[in-house]
Amino acid sequence: MYVQNPNVSVRKPVTVPGLRAMKADGRQIVVLTAYDTSFAWQLEMAGIDVALVGDSLGMVVQGHRSTLPVTLDHMVYHTAAVARGLSATLLIADVPFMSDRDVSHALEAGARLVGEGGAAMVKIEGAAPHILDAIKALTDRAIPVCAHLGLTPQSVHKFGGFRIQGREQEAADRVLQEALAVEAAGAALLVMEGVPSALGERVTQALSIPVIGIGAGPRCDGQVLVLHDMLGITPGKRPKFSKDFLAGRDSVAAAIAAYAEDVRSGAFPAPEHCF
Ligand code: KIV
């Protein structure tokens, strides 16, 4: 098979400081996951701002029940594959389960995901003290960090399943404090997953860094979905916060373009995708 070189984009490259400017200008940031070169190219051609190599690949690519079996080697492999399909789209890669168990492992993960994988930023779940230390250590070494709070999938066993977080006032206040802490530690971006819309909005207003929602309501600075969910090809039930953008369209390219348009116009997420 002949894979065309996509490095011909006429778009201005999306940068880490550029994301903050998008928040300041009120421009919605469109994020979508990708795990290989061909789909990365589809994201690039559709003008997606950020491609995320999520450890969700453990579920939608590898067929596991959670993200926990994903290793750093897996993440580096898929990140490098996605990087080969991108040009202007910014690339973020997940630090997988336990690769952030202390600062030195987090630094090793960051070095490999950026150095070997070609990511511009790494994403880390949670706000425990060792995670705050890792965010600071990575940021100090010029590896930008995206934090991830709310329904953090690597904590599935602690939560007793993939459960919405921050429903009660006390829990919501705790998530807000965590968001302020990851920002203070140096995070340049925050993914808020699976929280009530009111909390998504509260966190977005409280932070100066952009907040990207997934099941966090319409008032975030941008949205992210898992590619397989938004193409309607994830086995089993589609999560409430996702939407099948391929339904009624005749190509993957059209589905991804529709997702980008709906995020930018504010049409997605609609009330039925929110908590
Ligand atoms: O792994 C992933 O795809 C993610 C997104 C759901 C935000 O973390």
Side-chain angles (χ1 to χ4, degrees):
M1 183 188 296
Y2 174 61
V3 179
Q4 284 176 269
N5 181 353
N7 296 328
V8 290
S9 180
V10 290
R11 275 193 298 141
K12 215 170 134 217
V14 179
T15 63
V16 174
L19 295 176
R20 202 184 262 255
M22 288 177 78
K23 173 168 180 140
D25 296 349
R27 278 179 288 147
Q28 284 285 306
I29 301 168
V30 185
V31 186
L32 189 55
T33 69
Y35 314 99
D36 66 27
T37 304
S38 298
F39 278 104
W41 190 31
Q42 295 285 327
L43 269 60
E44 178 69 41
M45 292 298 122
I48 298 296
D49 298 310
V50 179
L52 168 66
V53 184
D55 59 0
S56 52
L57 71 86
M59 300 173 79
V60 298
V61 176
Q62 298 175 333
H64 296 296
R65 286 170 176 271
S66 76
T67 60
L68 306 182
V70 178
T71 67
L72 183 56
D73 282 344
H74 297 155
M75 289 306 305
V76 172
Y77 174 89
H78 285 278
T79 302
V82 169
R84 289 190 280 271
L86 299 183
S87 170
T89 296
L90 186 86
L91 177 55
I92 304 180
D94 266 353
V95 174
F97 181 57
M98 281 296 147
S99 289
D100 54 10
R101 58 184 171 275
D102 54 33
V103 167
S104 80
H105 281 90
L107 287 175
E108 187 202 338
R112 289 196 61 198
L113 291 166
V114 172
E116 292 173 49
M121 181 183 254
V122 298
K123 178 162 79 57
I124 294 196
E125 294 185 12
H130 71 286
I131 297 293
L132 298 179
D133 289 346
I135 292 172
K136 181 167 186 330
L138 286 159
T139 304
D140 284 350
R141 287 160 181 85
I143 297 181
V145 176
C146 173
H148 184 165
L149 297 173
L151 198 185
T152 44
Q154 290 173 17
S155 300
V156 60
H157 295 313
K158 177 175 153 190
F159 296 150
F162 295 104
R163 296 181 193 285
I164 301 309
Q165 300 295 304
R167 282 197 196 271
E168 295 79 27
Q169 188 64 43
E170 199 185 318
D173 291 347
R174 195 166 52 240
V175 172
L176 178 60
Q177 289 313 313
E178 289 174 350
L180 293 167
V182 296
E183 178 175 62
L189 192 67
L190 169 63
V191 166
M192 280 299 310
E193 178 167 357
V195 297
S197 301
L199 178 55
E201 180 173 5
R202 215 173 137 204
V203 169
T204 304
Q205 285 179 355
L207 266 51
S208 57
I209 59 171
V211 177
I212 308 298
I214 172 164
R219 302 246 182 263
C220 300
D221 300 306
Q223 299 290 329
V224 56
L225 283 180
V226 169
L227 177 69
H228 293 53
D229 290 346
M230 60 79 70
L231 294 178
I233 58 170
T234 306
K237 200 166 158 256
R238 179 174 53 74
K240 173 183 159 81
F241 53 71
S242 190
K243 175 180 171 180
D244 180 354
F245 282 91
L246 190 52
R249 298 192 172 86
D250 60 5
S251 69
V252 167
I256 295 175
Y259 165 65
E261 192 180 318
D262 280 8
V263 171
R264 289 188 177 124
S265 71
F268 179 81
E272 66 265 30
H273 308 119
C274 300
F275 301 100

